[in-house]
Amino acid sequence: MPLLTETPFLSIIVPIYNEAGNIEPLYDRVIAVMTDYGRSFEMILVNDGSRDQSEAELMTIAAKDRRIKVINFRRNYGQTAALMGGFNAARGEIVVPMDGDLQNDPADIPLLVEKLQEGYAMVSGWRKDRKDNRLMRTLPSGIANWLISWSSGVNLHDHGCTLKAYRSDVIANLRLYGEMHRFIAIYVKWYGGTITEIPVRHHPRIVGQSKYGINRIIKVILDLAVVKFLEDFDTKPIYVFGVMGIISILMSIFGFFLAMYQRIFEGISLIQTPLPLFAAITFLVGLVCILLGLLAEIMVRTYYESQNKRTYLVRNTINIEPEM
Ligand code: UDP
Ligand code: MG
């Protein structure tokens, strides 16, 4: 049995929320696959505030195998937080997250790892033959994948598949909020890492039920708006707010002169047309937008300067010590 101080080759991260009945079979499947594969590993199960027997089941497997590590959250924080908890504790060179409900197949882990070792920073699993409800799940997810791929320029079939493999350095600085584990590929792209995908197996959920409903679509769209905004304007928010503000003020000026023209040449009184109101509102909106942009600029400076953060990442240096 490997000692705790030895760093494993692979860290498998599993978020667990009310997965009683799935934990032991998952453990058995992972052990079977990894014994066959023959590389050292740790399996970090993050209990995200389960209210069923999950914790007791986790204790049972952790008691008999020291490669099994358990993090119990105080309450339910969501799948993204659970994954982050696992990433932060992972010590392997390669990190593979997967679902705890046996919908992902541990047998795909070696395939993802082998692909990663061809030189990628990330290999995404693609549930090519997905076993979920078509209307409620597969269809919205298809649209989401198209949207995420299109807006980020990272073309993957299945951003939402938890089963993926990462080189540990690419996730070392990852900070995920909300439901953003679907966008890790975008962060990897920011990091300058290469990404590829391979098809993985997918099974229907047999024990327990899905933790998500249709409202996840709205969250994905809002999260995507945040990521897209950060991607394009991370250090220059005034470009977004300023452009919107200027467009609004130009519309205001246009409305104002049109009203004047109608007043002088067509004899239309200023109280007969909505144009003065239009001009006033668009002027105010424009002004507020520009002020918001200035405020955001201050926040960007506070963010980077208070923590001595760089606005760039260095891959390596030659004949010069890296600053950090
Ligand atoms: N999960 C979690 N916290 C939550 C919701 C889900 O840790 O608040 C875990 C859950 O136990 C499972 C994985 O995230 O291991 C995926 O959840 P689920 O199977 O419900 O999602 P679906 O497969 O339906 O997309
Ligand atoms: Mg599932």
Side-chain angles (χ1 to χ4, degrees), residues 123-254:
V123 180
S124 172
W126 167 23
R127 293 164 291 180
K128 203 170 179 176
D129 184 15
R130 197 167 162 183
K131 301 287 193 305
D132 278 321
N133 181 299
R134 222 182 148 68
L135 188 66
M136 296 290 285
R137 307 296 306 278
T138 317
L139 190 72
S141 138
I143 298 170
N145 280 311
W146 176 81
L147 205 65
I148 299 171
S149 294
W150 169 76
S151 62
S152 67
V154 183
N155 289 314
L156 293 179
H157 284 96
D158 200 354
H159 288 270
C161 178
T162 312
L163 183 60
K164 298 177 194 293
Y166 306 92
R167 231 172 44 215
S168 63
D169 62 298
V170 292
I171 53 164
N173 297 308
L174 196 65
R175 296 282 177 280
L176 299 175
Y177 303 89
E179 293 281 315
M180 293 199 180
H181 61 271
R182 284 181 196 80
F183 307 131
I184 300 179
I186 305 181
Y187 288 91
V188 174
K189 179 187 138 196
W190 291 353
Y191 182 81
T194 47
I195 301 166
T196 190
E197 68 180 359
I198 59 170
V200 293
R201 280 154 274 211
H202 194 240
H203 305 292
R205 192 189 248 280
I206 299 181
V207 179
Q209 46 191 317
S210 173
K211 312 302 182 300
Y212 298 101
I214 203 88
N215 66 352
R216 127 160 87 185
I217 297 174
I218 295 167
K219 293 184 183 167
V220 169
I221 291 172
L222 292 175
D223 281 342
L224 185 62
V226 174
V227 172
K228 184 71 187 148
F229 178 78
L230 290 179
E231 161 151 40
D232 291 352
F233 305 106
D234 189 16
T235 56
K236 286 309 306 168
I238 190 75
Y239 290 171
V240 197
F241 292 104
V243 165
M244 290 190 326
I246 286 169
I247 290 172
S248 194
I249 288 177
L250 287 177
M251 280 161 55
S252 165
I253 293 171
F254 174 76

Side-chain angles (χ1 to χ4, degrees), residues 2 37-38 41 50 136 165 173 176 232 245 249 252 261 300 313 321:
Y37 190 40
F41 76 101
S50 298
M136 296 290 285
N173 297 308
L176 299 175
D232 291 352
I249 288 177
S252 165
Y261 175 87
V300 167
L313 292 168
E321 287 295 314

